[in-house]
Amino acid sequence: MNWYRRTQGGWLLQVHAQPGARTSGVAGLHGEALKIRVAAPAVDGKANAALIAFIARELGIAKRMVSVEQGASSREKTLRVSDTAVHPASLFPAE
């Protein structure tokens, strides 16, 4: 699986975010990134905050454990999940 990789302190996730969606949810793969629809506009960091909240909720961890590592103003993002007890494959179990 190319959209996530383990690091010493957790995981790095490659995400293609689609802001302004009707509801938040995983939409499948987009190249080598996990495509996530975000129910927030890409204005003033609202989409990033909603993306972080969605990932944290789906993984069952605190929002402070998820951060945008790269691509804060882009649809292509690298997210850091600072929890080694969770596995990102649960976000897209179809693989």
Side-chain angles (χ1 to χ4, degrees), residues 15-19 42 48 51 68 70-78:
V15 172
H16 176 84
Q18 182 182 359
N48 285 339
L51 178 62
V68 177
Q70 292 179 336
S73 61
S74 170
R75 286 182 180 229
E76 302 299 326
K77 300 180 185 302
T78 302

Side-chain angles (χ1 to χ4, degrees), residues 22-83:
R22 184 171 291 185
T23 59
S24 294
V26 174
L29 294 177
H30 183 83
E32 293 193 10
L34 186 65
K35 184 176 182 178
I36 300 178
R37 293 185 179 117
V38 181
V43 176
D44 298 328
K46 291 179 183 178
N48 285 339
L51 178 62
I52 287 170
F54 174 78
I55 295 289
R57 182 177 66 247
E58 292 297 308
L59 293 176
I61 59 176
K63 288 188 283 188
R64 62 181 161 71
M65 303 296 280
V66 182
S67 61
V68 177
E69 186 82 2
Q70 292 179 336
S73 61
S74 170
R75 286 182 180 229
E76 302 299 326
K77 300 180 185 302
T78 302
L79 301 181
R80 177 173 298 280
V81 176
S82 301
D83 190 333

Side-chain angles (χ1 to χ4, degrees), residues 5-12 80-84:
R5 66 183 162 94
R6 186 142 176 112
T7 64
Q8 185 176 10
W11 300 92
L12 289 178
R80 177 173 298 280
V81 176
S82 301
D83 190 333
T84 58

